């Protein structure tokens, strides 16, 4: 493993790993809320499957984070015993599900970013991240196929589905720019741990093509705020509520197992 | 249950070299979502190497009432089985 030589480098890598673990865990929790509530049983299964894939990614990342941190924590520590201000997920994944089109818009923007992210991370000089990326890119590509398919199907569907898909895209758009705008990982970039130079361009291209194919109107570009990013632990009440539910059992019955 | 989406029959080939076998059915809006749903439901444990989906309404089925005329005539025709034929002694095993 690289980056163990300096405390600074290790801290930057730990921060990166937690950002993506949190991204995956929070979205997994949101998608889980759809179970038994989606348009058809088959879609329940599809969303639950994606949720479980993301949960699996979060577990690997948290386990790696525990190793990097070196304080004897396990994966559960990061999921259950941190408060909202310690979560570093981008804001888009904590947004409420809304209607199905809203969920699809959120998922599509996330998946387009995640595919670009994992694709780049396959070349990471960090062996653990590269191995995870090689595995994650396969399932994430399928997630994108699913969410992109629905974006196009609803956008280029009936008047009602088009209206709802546009509304969903408009609602999620303000959170899209933050995804590929990590300004403070230069150190990790320079040493090849996070070789993400092309991620933003790849993300924007995939999004633009799909929006066009879906006959949707691209929302106006949004400036990324220079402070208050979810990646840095600034969150909305939505994450507080989500974590309340996610953590209540572990906190009410400390050490419980099944 | 609100099966507003049409039904699709799912055929899965477990590995290269064997036939697609009927696994079940899914509700889906179109062929692409039918393939995805079939993948989620029937190939979770590495059962599949290939999936076919066919609209259930496109499957033409035999009528159960025709069982007699369709399948009855095959009864008692032992000569259609290889076991009905005696091998010459000199062939030994086959």
């Amino acid at each position: 493993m690289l980056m163990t030589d300096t405390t600074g480098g290790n801290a930057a890598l730990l921060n990166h790993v937690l950002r993506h673990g949190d991204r995956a865990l929070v979205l997994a929790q949101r998608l889980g809320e759809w179970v038994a509530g989606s348009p058809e049983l088959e879609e329940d299964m599809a969303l639950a499957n994606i949720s479980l894939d993301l949960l699996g990614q979060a577990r690997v990342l948290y386990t790696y984070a525990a190793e990097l941190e070196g304080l004897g924590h396990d994966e559960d520590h990061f999921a259950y015993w941190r408060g909202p201000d310690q979560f570093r997920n981008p804001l888009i994944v904590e947004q409420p599900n809304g209607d199905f089109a809203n969920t699809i818009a959120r998922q599509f923007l996330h998946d387009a970013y995640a595919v670009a992210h994992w694709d780049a991370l396959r070349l990471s000089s960090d062996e653990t991240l590269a191995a995870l990326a090689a595995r994650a890119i396969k399932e994430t590509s399928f997630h994108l196929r699913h969410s992109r398919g629905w974006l196009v199907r609803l956008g280029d569907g009936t008047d009602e589905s088009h209206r709802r898909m546009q509304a969903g895209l408009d609602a999620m758009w303000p959170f899209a720019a933050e995804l590929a705008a990590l300004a403070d990982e230069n150190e990790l970039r320079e040493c090849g741990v996070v070789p993400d130079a092309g991620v933003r361009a790849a993300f924007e291209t995939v999004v633009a093509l799909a929006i066009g194919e879906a006959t949707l109107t691209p929302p106006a570009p949004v400036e990324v705020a220079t402070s208050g990013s979810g990646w840095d632990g600034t969150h909305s009440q939505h994450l507080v509520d989500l974590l309340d539910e996610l953590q209540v059992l572990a906190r009410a019955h400390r050490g419980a197992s099944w | 249950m609100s099966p507003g989406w049409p039904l699709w029959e799912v055929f899965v080939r477990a590995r290269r070299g064997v036939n697609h076998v009927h696994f079940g059915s899914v509700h889906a809006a179109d062929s692409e979502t039918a393939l995805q749903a079939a993948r989620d439901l029937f190939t979770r444990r590495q059962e599949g190497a290939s999936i076919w989906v066919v609209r259930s309404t496109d499957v033409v089925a035999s009528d159960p009432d025709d069982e007699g005329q369709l399948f009855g005539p095959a009864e008692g025709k032992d000569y259609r089985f290889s076991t009905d034929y005696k091998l010459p002694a000199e062939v030994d095993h086959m």
Side-chain angles (χ1 to χ4, degrees):
Chain A
M1 187 199 324
L2 294 177
M3 307 299 299
T4 49
D5 50 338
T6 68
T7 312
N10 220 347
L13 178 56
L14 174 61
N15 191 39
H16 173 86
V17 169
L18 282 176
R19 279 171 167 169
H20 291 280
D22 293 345
R23 167 174 66 75
L25 179 72
V26 171
L27 188 54
Q29 179 74 4
R30 276 285 181 243
L31 288 175
E33 294 170 12
W34 270 107
V35 173
S38 74
E40 289 280 356
L41 178 64
E42 283 79 355
E43 193 58 30
D44 273 357
M45 291 291 295
L47 295 176
N49 237 1
I50 294 166
S51 171
L52 288 174
D53 284 347
L54 289 166
L55 187 64
Q57 292 177 12
R59 291 187 60 183
V60 175
L61 286 161
Y62 285 159
T63 301
Y64 188 33
E67 184 187 323
L68 290 168
E69 191 192 41
L71 296 177
H73 289 136
D74 62 2
E75 52 182 311
D76 283 357
H77 166 79
F78 296 103
Y80 295 132
W81 299 101
R82 289 181 304 150
D85 56 337
Q86 291 170 291
F87 273 71
R88 301 153 204 210
N89 56 278
L91 294 171
I92 193 168
V93 295
E94 70 197 54
Q95 299 308 309
N97 286 336
D99 65 7
F100 185 66
N102 198 82
T103 288
I104 289 301
R106 183 185 65 199
Q107 194 66 32
F108 166 69
L109 292 169
H110 168 273
D111 294 344
Y113 165 72
V115 165
H117 168 74
W118 289 126
D119 191 39
L121 265 281
R122 284 194 287 186
L123 297 175
S124 172
S125 58
D126 183 285
E127 286 179 14
T128 306
L129 283 182
L132 172 58
R135 184 187 162 125
I137 187 72
K138 292 181 192 167
E139 52 196 27
T140 309
S141 297
F142 187 81
H143 303 167
L144 177 60
R145 178 174 168 177
H146 179 263
S147 57
R148 187 189 194 282
W150 273 117
L151 181 96
V152 172
R153 196 174 290 111
L154 295 175
D156 191 17
T158 65
D159 288 346
E160 174 67 0
S161 74
H162 179 89
R163 184 187 67 74
R164 288 201 185 204
M165 196 61 251
Q166 184 70 54
L169 183 65
D170 291 347
M172 287 300 125
W173 192 257
F175 306 103
E178 181 195 25
L179 277 167
L182 272 173
D184 65 348
E185 293 195 346
N186 285 334
E187 191 186 347
L188 295 175
R189 283 191 194 100
E190 282 162 16
C191 61
V193 171
V194 181
D196 65 352
V199 167
R200 186 166 182 169
F203 168 57
E204 289 175 350
T205 302
V206 168
V207 169
L209 282 173
I211 288 177
E213 199 179 319
T215 71
L216 295 165
T217 307
V222 175
E223 289 294 316
V224 182
T226 49
S227 63
S229 169
W231 291 118
D232 294 323
T234 301
H235 295 288
S236 61
Q237 181 65 29
H238 298 311
L239 183 69
V240 178
D241 297 340
L242 180 145
L243 291 180
D244 270 352
E245 188 169 320
L246 188 149
Q247 297 175 334
V248 67
L249 190 70
R251 292 184 178 216
H253 303 278
R254 184 183 273 269
S257 62
W258 61 85
Chain B
M1 286 293 289
S2 62
W5 291 342
L7 198 62
W8 301 75
E9 299 305 319
V10 178
F11 300 82
V12 176
R13 185 169 70 176
R15 59 181 192 279
R16 289 181 198 284
V18 300
N19 295 330
H20 285 76
V21 174
H22 186 236
F23 263 48
S25 51
V26 295
H27 288 107
D30 53 28
S31 56
E32 169 63 17
T33 45
L35 273 178
Q36 291 179 19
R39 176 262 194 191
D40 287 342
L41 286 161
F42 298 119
T43 66
R44 299 168 64 77
R45 299 174 192 88
Q46 298 186 299
E47 295 94 334
S50 165
I51 302 172
W52 288 347
V53 291
V54 179
R55 277 289 293 270
S56 302
T57 50
D58 288 340
V59 173
V60 181
S62 61
D63 187 336
D65 291 343
D66 291 344
E67 198 179 345
Q69 55 168 287
L70 288 176
F71 310 118
E75 277 174 27
K77 292 176 178 166
D78 294 345
Y79 54 84
R80 290 182 179 172
F81 293 87
S82 60
T83 50
D84 195 50
Y85 297 89
K86 297 275 181 291
L87 286 179
E90 52 273 22
V91 172
D92 199 16
H93 292 295
M94 204 175 143

